[in-house]
Each structure stands twice: as C-alpha cells, then as structure tokens.
Amino acid sequence: MKMLVIEDEEELLRFTLTYLRSEGYVCEEAATFQEGMEKINLYDYDCVIADIGLPDGNGLHLVRQLKSKLSDTGVIIISARNSLEDKIEGLDIGADDYLTKPFHLSELNARIKSILRRRKFQGNKEIDFHEIHVLPETMQTLVNGREIALTKKEFDLLIYFISNKDKVLTKEYIVEHLWGDYMDTADSYDFIYAHVSNLRRKLIESGAHDYVKSIYGVGYKFTDLEAK
Ligand code: CA
C-alpha cells in the first residue's frame, strides 16, 4: 500500500515515515503545499495524510484537488488545533478521517487500516478470490485452506492484483505502486518480472489457477474471466 505524507514539521514527518515504513507501507513525502500538489497530480496513492497548516498553502485545497481527480485514494487530514470548522470542512470536501495533533502513530495506523479496508476491500478484513484467501492485517495467504509463504513484495503484489482485478496494469504503474518514486525505472522492470513470476509460480504450485495474464509489451492482468 502506497502512502503520501504531507507535513512541514520535519521531526513529525520523520517519525511518521519511519513508523509507517516499519508497518510495511511504501511511503512518499512532501514538506510543502507545492510539493504535495505536484505529487498528487503526478502519482496515485492508496492513502494521503495531509497536514492542514502548511507554510505555503492550506492542506484542505490538496484534498479538494485530490477529490477532483475522482480517485479512490483515502484521505486523513491532520490539524494542529482542534478546530471544528476545519474538521467539518475537511470531511465535507471528501476527507475520510481527521486527527488533531498531538496524536499517537498507532492511532494513525488504525485509521489508515480502517480506510484501506473500506476503500479497497469493501469493508472486509479478509479478501477472497476463489481458492485464494488473504488476511492483510497478519500478512497471511492461504490457497485452498493451506498457508503459503510469500515475500512482502509478492504479498503486496497479490493484494494489488486482487484489488485491481480485470484491469490492465502496466509495468510503470506496478513499479510506482509497489516501490514509490525511489526505484530507478531502468532496472525496475526486471524486478517486476521476477516478483510476478515468483508469485505466479507459488500460487500455481499450491494449487491455485493461473490468474496472472501477461500482456505482451504492456504489463499484466489478474483475471478469472479469460479462457486459458
Ligand atoms: Ca504544519
């Protein structure tokens, strides 16, 4: 799952990023309104955590911009003061949740999980795709009731595939989603190929159908619709 944290207080930004990365999220950062706006316009995120009080703009405008893209990105706004007006306006323009500083990072994490559950998995704590059963919170995958061992990237890839089933996912899109903007794209397609191949092999070996379709020159599609 890919996050964008927009926060101008450097120490809080560092703490938040370190914590979220240790929880297994791919995280990008922005320290200003301008930087946040650029990233929102260029990339897709599963969840954006935006401070309202930025030195060069109001975080609520970022939320508005994000929502005008009609994306299914979750949004949590962070405010320095407990302002009811900010809260109401934020929720009104489409933010999913609201936290007032200071907050516990574990609380932020709980809110993120709840948003992702709601947005990505229709409120379910567990994901089923035919014989494949995934438990995101404990990072377990079962095929026909038997647990299989996936690496973190394979696991993220599987969730990404299932939550985007029947869609053509380009390699660029997969790289951006699973690695963020730190990955050098020149090498990254080989990585994608290796991770997809390993995931596919592990699923097939454990008795699952082969749902991963390669689309030559483009990317992949995870689907149960096409004939073998
Ligand atoms: Ca601030």
Side-chain angles (χ1 to χ4, degrees), residues 2 26 28 43-44 153 157 160-161 169-193 195-196 218-220:
K2 193 179 167 199
V26 171
E28 289 183 13
Y43 306 109
D44 278 312
K153 285 296 176 203
L157 195 53
Y160 188 54
F161 274 149
L169 300 169
T170 66
K171 289 174 190 169
E172 291 86 344
Y173 209 76
I174 296 173
V175 166
E176 190 207 302
H177 190 87
L178 293 184
W179 280 272
D181 56 9
Y182 301 103
M183 187 69 153
D184 179 0
T185 34
D187 303 323
S188 57
Y189 297 157
D190 292 339
F191 276 102
I192 289 289
Y193 178 78
H195 286 295
V196 171
V218 181
Y220 300 94

Coordinates of all heavy atoms in Angstrom, one line a residue, residues 2 26 28 43-44 153 157 160-161 169-193 195-196 218-220:
K2 N 0.5 2.2 -0.8 CA 1.3 3.4 -1.0 C 0.7 4.6 -0.4 O -0.4 5.0 -0.6 CB 1.5 3.5 -2.5 CG 2.6 4.5 -2.9 CD 2.7 4.6 -4.4 CE 3.6 5.8 -4.8 NZ 3.3 6.1 -6.2
V26 N 4.7 1.5 1.6 CA 5.6 2.3 0.8 C 5.2 3.8 1.0 O 4.0 4.1 0.9 CB 5.4 1.9 -0.7 CG1 6.1 2.9 -1.6 CG2 5.8 0.5 -0.9
E28 N 5.8 8.0 0.5 CA 6.5 9.2 -0.1 C 6.2 10.4 0.8 O 5.2 10.3 1.6 CB 6.0 9.4 -1.5 CG 6.6 8.3 -2.4 CD 6.2 8.5 -3.9 OE1 5.7 9.6 -4.2 OE2 6.4 7.6 -4.7
Y43 N 1.1 11.3 -9.3 CA 1.1 9.8 -8.9 C -0.3 9.5 -8.2 O -1.0 10.3 -7.8 CB 2.2 9.6 -7.9 CG 3.6 10.0 -8.4 CD1 4.2 11.0 -7.9 CD2 4.1 9.2 -9.5 CE1 5.5 11.4 -8.4 CE2 5.4 9.6 -10.0 CZ 6.0 10.7 -9.5 OH 7.3 11.0 -9.9
D44 N -0.4 8.2 -8.1 CA -1.6 7.6 -7.4 C -1.2 7.1 -6.0 O -0.1 6.4 -5.9 CB -2.3 6.5 -8.2 CG -3.2 7.1 -9.2 OD1 -4.0 8.0 -8.9 OD2 -3.1 6.7 -10.4
K153 N 7.0 -8.3 -0.9 CA 6.6 -7.7 -2.2 C 5.6 -8.6 -3.0 O 4.7 -8.1 -3.6 CB 7.9 -7.5 -3.1 CG 8.7 -6.3 -2.7 CD 8.0 -5.0 -2.8 CE 8.9 -3.8 -2.3 NZ 8.1 -2.7 -2.0
L157 N 2.0 -7.4 -4.0 CA 1.6 -7.6 -5.5 C 0.3 -8.3 -5.6 O -0.6 -8.0 -6.3 CB 2.7 -8.4 -6.1 CG 2.8 -8.4 -7.6 CD1 2.8 -7.0 -8.2 CD2 4.1 -9.1 -8.1
Y160 N -2.5 -6.1 -4.6 CA -2.6 -5.1 -5.7 C -3.4 -5.7 -6.9 O -4.3 -5.1 -7.4 CB -1.3 -4.6 -6.1 CG -1.3 -3.5 -7.0 CD1 -2.0 -2.3 -6.7 CD2 -0.6 -3.5 -8.2 CE1 -2.0 -1.2 -7.6 CE2 -0.6 -2.5 -9.1 CZ -1.3 -1.3 -8.8 OH -1.3 -0.3 -9.7
F161 N -3.0 -6.9 -7.2 CA -3.7 -7.6 -8.3 C -5.1 -7.9 -8.0 O -6.0 -7.6 -8.8 CB -3.0 -9.0 -8.6 CG -1.8 -9.0 -9.5 CD1 -0.8 -9.9 -9.3 CD2 -1.7 -8.0 -10.5 CE1 0.4 -9.8 -10.2 CE2 -0.6 -8.0 -11.4 CZ 0.4 -8.9 -11.2
L169 N -2.7 -3.7 -15.9 CA -1.7 -2.9 -15.0 C -0.4 -2.8 -15.7 O 0.2 -3.9 -16.0 CB -1.6 -3.6 -13.7 CG -2.9 -3.8 -12.9 CD1 -2.7 -4.7 -11.7 CD2 -3.4 -2.4 -12.4
T170 N 0.0 -1.7 -16.1 CA 1.2 -1.5 -16.8 C 2.4 -1.7 -15.8 O 2.2 -1.5 -14.6 CB 1.4 -0.1 -17.4 OG1 1.4 0.9 -16.4 CG2 0.2 0.2 -18.3
K171 N 3.5 -2.0 -16.4 CA 4.7 -2.2 -15.5 C 5.0 -0.9 -14.8 O 5.4 -0.9 -13.6 CB 5.9 -2.7 -16.3 CG 5.7 -4.1 -16.8 CD 6.9 -4.5 -17.8 CE 6.6 -5.8 -18.4 NZ 7.5 -6.1 -19.5
E172 N 4.9 0.2 -15.5 CA 5.1 1.5 -14.8 C 4.3 1.7 -13.6 O 4.7 2.2 -12.6 CB 4.8 2.7 -15.8 CG 5.8 2.8 -17.0 CD 5.4 2.0 -18.2 OE1 4.6 1.0 -18.0 OE2 5.9 2.2 -19.3
Y173 N 3.0 1.3 -13.8 CA 2.0 1.5 -12.7 C 2.4 0.6 -11.5 O 2.3 1.0 -10.4 CB 0.6 1.2 -13.3 CG -0.5 1.9 -12.6 CD1 -0.7 3.2 -12.9 CD2 -1.3 1.3 -11.7 CE1 -1.7 3.9 -12.3 CE2 -2.3 2.0 -11.1 CZ -2.5 3.3 -11.4 OH -3.5 4.0 -10.7
I174 N 2.8 -0.6 -11.8 CA 3.1 -1.6 -10.7 C 4.4 -1.1 -10.0 O 4.4 -1.1 -8.8 CB 3.3 -3.0 -11.3 CG1 2.0 -3.5 -11.9 CG2 3.8 -3.9 -10.2 CD1 2.1 -4.8 -12.6
V175 N 5.4 -0.6 -10.7 CA 6.6 -0.2 -10.1 C 6.3 1.0 -9.2 O 6.7 1.1 -8.0 CB 7.6 0.3 -11.2 CG1 8.7 1.1 -10.5 CG2 8.2 -0.9 -11.9
E176 N 5.5 2.0 -9.7 CA 5.2 3.2 -9.0 C 4.4 2.8 -7.7 O 4.7 3.4 -6.6 CB 4.3 4.1 -9.9 CG 4.1 5.5 -9.3 CD 2.8 6.1 -9.8 OE1 2.7 6.2 -11.0 OE2 2.0 6.4 -8.9
H177 N 3.5 1.8 -7.8 CA 2.7 1.5 -6.7 C 3.5 0.7 -5.6 O 3.3 1.0 -4.4 CB 1.5 0.6 -7.1 CG 0.5 0.5 -6.0 ND1 -0.5 1.4 -5.8 CD2 0.4 -0.5 -5.1 CE1 -1.2 1.0 -4.8 NE2 -0.6 -0.1 -4.3
L178 N 4.3 -0.2 -6.0 CA 5.0 -1.1 -5.1 C 6.3 -0.5 -4.6 O 6.8 -0.9 -3.5 CB 5.2 -2.5 -5.6 CG 3.9 -3.3 -5.9 CD1 4.3 -4.7 -6.3 CD2 3.1 -3.3 -4.6
W179 N 6.9 0.4 -5.3 CA 8.2 0.9 -4.8 C 8.2 2.4 -4.6 O 9.2 3.0 -4.1 CB 9.3 0.5 -5.8 CG 9.8 -0.9 -5.6 CD1 10.7 -1.3 -4.8 CD2 9.2 -2.0 -6.3 NE1 10.8 -2.7 -4.9 CE2 9.9 -3.2 -5.8 CE3 8.2 -2.3 -7.2 CZ2 9.7 -4.5 -6.2 CZ3 8.0 -3.6 -7.6 CH2 8.7 -4.6 -7.1
G180 N 7.3 3.1 -5.1 CA 7.3 4.6 -5.0 C 8.3 5.2 -5.9 O 8.7 4.5 -6.8
D181 N 8.6 6.4 -5.7 CA 9.5 7.1 -6.7 C 11.0 6.9 -6.4 O 11.8 7.7 -6.9 CB 9.1 8.6 -6.8 CG 9.2 9.3 -5.5 OD1 9.7 8.7 -4.5 OD2 8.7 10.5 -5.5
Y182 N 11.3 5.9 -5.5 CA 12.7 5.7 -5.2 C 13.4 4.7 -6.2 O 14.6 4.6 -6.2 CB 12.9 5.2 -3.8 CG 12.3 6.2 -2.8 CD1 11.1 6.0 -2.2 CD2 13.0 7.4 -2.5 CE1 10.6 6.9 -1.4 CE2 12.5 8.3 -1.7 CZ 11.3 8.1 -1.1 OH 10.7 9.0 -0.3
M183 N 12.5 4.0 -6.9 CA 13.1 3.0 -7.8 C 13.5 3.6 -9.1 O 12.9 4.4 -9.7 CB 11.9 2.0 -8.1 CG 12.3 0.8 -8.8 SD 13.4 -0.2 -7.8 CE 13.0 -1.8 -8.5
D184 N 14.7 3.2 -9.5 CA 15.2 3.6 -10.8 C 14.5 2.7 -11.9 O 14.7 1.5 -11.9 CB 16.8 3.3 -10.8 CG 17.3 3.7 -12.2 OD1 16.6 4.1 -13.1 OD2 18.6 3.5 -12.3
T185 N 13.8 3.3 -12.7 CA 12.9 2.6 -13.6 C 13.7 1.7 -14.6 O 13.2 0.7 -15.2 CB 11.9 3.5 -14.4 OG1 12.6 4.7 -14.7 CG2 10.7 3.7 -13.7
A186 N 14.9 2.1 -14.9 CA 15.7 1.3 -15.9 C 15.9 -0.2 -15.4 O 15.7 -1.1 -16.2 CB 17.1 1.9 -16.0
D187 N 16.1 -0.4 -14.1 CA 16.2 -1.8 -13.6 C 14.9 -2.4 -13.2 O 14.8 -3.6 -13.0 CB 17.1 -1.8 -12.4 CG 18.5 -1.1 -12.7 OD1 19.0 -1.4 -13.8 OD2 19.0 -0.5 -11.8
S188 N 13.9 -1.5 -13.0 CA 12.8 -2.0 -12.2 C 11.9 -3.0 -13.0 O 11.3 -3.9 -12.3 CB 11.9 -0.8 -11.8 OG 11.5 -0.1 -13.0
Y189 N 11.9 -3.0 -14.3 CA 11.0 -4.0 -15.0 C 11.5 -5.4 -14.8 O 10.7 -6.3 -14.8 CB 10.9 -3.6 -16.5 CG 10.3 -2.2 -16.7 CD1 10.5 -1.5 -17.8 CD2 9.5 -1.7 -15.7 CE1 9.9 -0.2 -18.0 CE2 8.9 -0.4 -15.8 CZ 9.1 0.3 -17.0 OH 8.5 1.5 -17.1
D190 N 12.8 -5.6 -14.7 CA 13.3 -6.9 -14.4 C 12.9 -7.4 -13.0 O 12.5 -8.6 -12.8 CB 14.9 -7.0 -14.5 CG 15.4 -6.7 -15.9 OD1 14.6 -7.0 -16.8 OD2 16.5 -6.3 -16.0
F191 N 12.9 -6.4 -12.1 CA 12.4 -6.8 -10.7 C 10.9 -7.2 -10.8 O 10.5 -8.2 -10.2 CB 12.5 -5.5 -9.8 CG 13.9 -5.4 -9.2 CD1 14.7 -4.4 -9.7 CD2 14.3 -6.1 -8.1 CE1 16.0 -4.2 -9.2 CE2 15.5 -6.0 -7.6 CZ 16.4 -5.0 -8.1
I192 N 10.1 -6.4 -11.5 CA 8.7 -6.7 -11.6 C 8.5 -8.1 -12.1 O 7.8 -8.9 -11.6 CB 8.0 -5.7 -12.5 CG1 7.9 -4.3 -11.9 CG2 6.6 -6.2 -12.9 CD1 7.0 -4.3 -10.7
Y193 N 9.2 -8.4 -13.2 CA 9.1 -9.7 -13.9 C 9.4 -10.8 -12.9 O 8.7 -11.8 -12.8 CB 10.1 -9.7 -15.1 CG 10.0 -11.1 -15.8 CD1 8.9 -11.4 -16.6 CD2 11.0 -12.0 -15.5 CE1 8.9 -12.6 -17.2 CE2 10.9 -13.3 -16.1 CZ 9.9 -13.6 -17.0 OH 9.8 -14.8 -17.5
H195 N 9.4 -10.7 -9.5 CA 8.4 -10.8 -8.5 C 7.1 -11.5 -9.0 O 6.5 -12.3 -8.3 CB 8.1 -9.5 -7.9 CG 9.2 -9.0 -7.0 ND1 9.5 -9.6 -5.8 CD2 10.0 -7.9 -7.1 CE1 10.5 -8.9 -5.2 NE2 10.9 -7.9 -6.0
V196 N 6.6 -11.0 -10.1 CA 5.4 -11.6 -10.7 C 5.6 -13.1 -11.0 O 4.7 -13.9 -10.6 CB 5.0 -10.8 -12.0 CG1 3.8 -11.6 -12.7 CG2 4.6 -9.4 -11.7
V218 N 3.2 -4.6 -22.4 CA 2.4 -3.7 -21.6 C 2.6 -4.0 -20.1 O 3.1 -3.1 -19.3 CB 0.9 -3.7 -22.0 CG1 0.2 -2.7 -21.1 CG2 0.8 -3.4 -23.4
G219 N 2.1 -5.1 -19.7 CA 2.2 -5.4 -18.3 C 1.4 -6.7 -17.9 O 1.6 -7.7 -18.6
Y220 N 0.5 -6.6 -17.0 CA -0.2 -7.8 -16.5 C -1.7 -7.5 -16.2 O -2.1 -6.4 -16.0 CB 0.4 -8.3 -15.2 CG 1.9 -8.7 -15.4 CD1 2.9 -7.8 -15.1 CD2 2.2 -9.9 -15.9 CE1 4.2 -8.1 -15.3 CE2 3.6 -10.3 -16.0 CZ 4.6 -9.3 -15.7 OH 5.9 -9.6 -15.9

